[in-house]
Amino acid sequence: PPLSEIFFLPQKPYMLLGSLRDQLLYPRLDREVSDEELRNVLRTVRLQDLSERVGGFDAELDWADVLSLGEQQRLAFARLIINRPGYAVLDEATSALDVENETNLYRTLKDLGIHYISVGHRTSILEHHNSVLELQGADRWRLLPAREYRASLTEGLEQGRGEPC
């Protein structure tokens, strides 16, 4: 797909200098989005009290210091929802979240029709994917149905091999 249709969410989201509105609209700061729509998106990512807590959408704070990593990750998902790309690459983008919030965000992406690829170590993300590309080292890899990959992890744990990296 064209680059304009791809959105990247890293483990530690970029928090730019500017207002809460800027945080939500990034990288397309010129967009016109109503406060009501911004409130709805914050509700979707379970940050419904954020604008009131920080003094409104025009409040300018040091967001990396004000927000926990989990809040930053949910704010990054809010950006994704507002920008509605066709595709998202999620690099450990839910690592600081509990399973309930993680599930809510993946379900939202699915409901919006945003296709996504996740890079991660947490086995909880397997629930939200159809396939797993396992990189095995030495230029080796395999593509498995997520269900089959989950089963192989369970088998490995039962045989004492530990968690995957």
Side-chain angles (χ1 to χ4, degrees):
L3 230 71
S4 62
E5 277 295 304
I6 301 172
F7 210 87
F8 180 76
L9 292 188
Q11 181 176 16
K12 181 150 178 39
Y14 174 63
M15 296 285 115
L16 66 150
L17 299 174
S19 67
L20 177 57
R21 182 180 319 278
D22 293 341
Q23 296 304 319
L24 290 164
L25 298 179
Y26 180 79
R28 296 180 49 209
L29 301 177
D30 58 339
R31 289 190 62 183
E32 293 289 328
V33 179
S34 71
D35 287 1
E36 188 57 34
E37 186 177 344
L38 295 177
R39 276 188 211 88
N40 287 337
V41 170
L42 286 175
R43 194 173 304 111
T44 299
V45 300
R46 300 182 175 167
L47 289 173
Q48 57 272 5
D49 66 334
L50 183 60
S51 66
E52 291 79 26
R53 192 176 87 202
V54 300
F57 290 111
D58 296 317
E60 294 192 20
L61 300 169
D62 186 346
W63 300 103
D65 288 340
V66 171
L67 302 176
S68 70
L69 181 56
E71 290 171 322
Q72 290 176 44
Q73 288 181 345
R74 285 182 283 158
L75 185 70
F77 270 87
R79 290 176 182 161
L80 180 61
I81 293 166
I82 289 167
N83 284 281
R84 301 249 172 121
Y87 302 88
V89 178
L90 311 173
D91 184 4
E92 297 279 351
T94 60
S95 64
L97 302 179
D98 58 32
V99 173
E100 185 180 327
N101 274 304
E102 179 179 76
T103 297
N104 174 58
L105 295 173
Y106 274 105
R107 187 177 300 127
T108 299
L109 295 184
K110 190 173 280 189
D111 291 347
L112 293 172
I114 297 173
H115 303 282
Y116 52 86
I117 297 170
S118 298
V119 177
H121 296 92
R122 294 174 60 176
T123 56
S124 59
I125 67 173
L126 290 171
E127 299 297 320
H128 312 291
H129 295 80
N130 297 322
S131 302
V132 173
L133 174 63
E134 181 183 53
L135 304 177
Q136 299 175 317
D139 296 329
R140 292 186 3 217
W141 55 272
R142 64 183 181 154
L143 184 64
L144 300 166
R147 191 172 338 141
E148 187 178 320
Y149 184 78
R150 250 189 322 272
S152 73
L153 289 179
T154 303
E155 181 181 304
L157 289 173
E158 289 170 358
Q159 294 177 2
R161 290 196 300 245
E163 289 270 350
C165 307

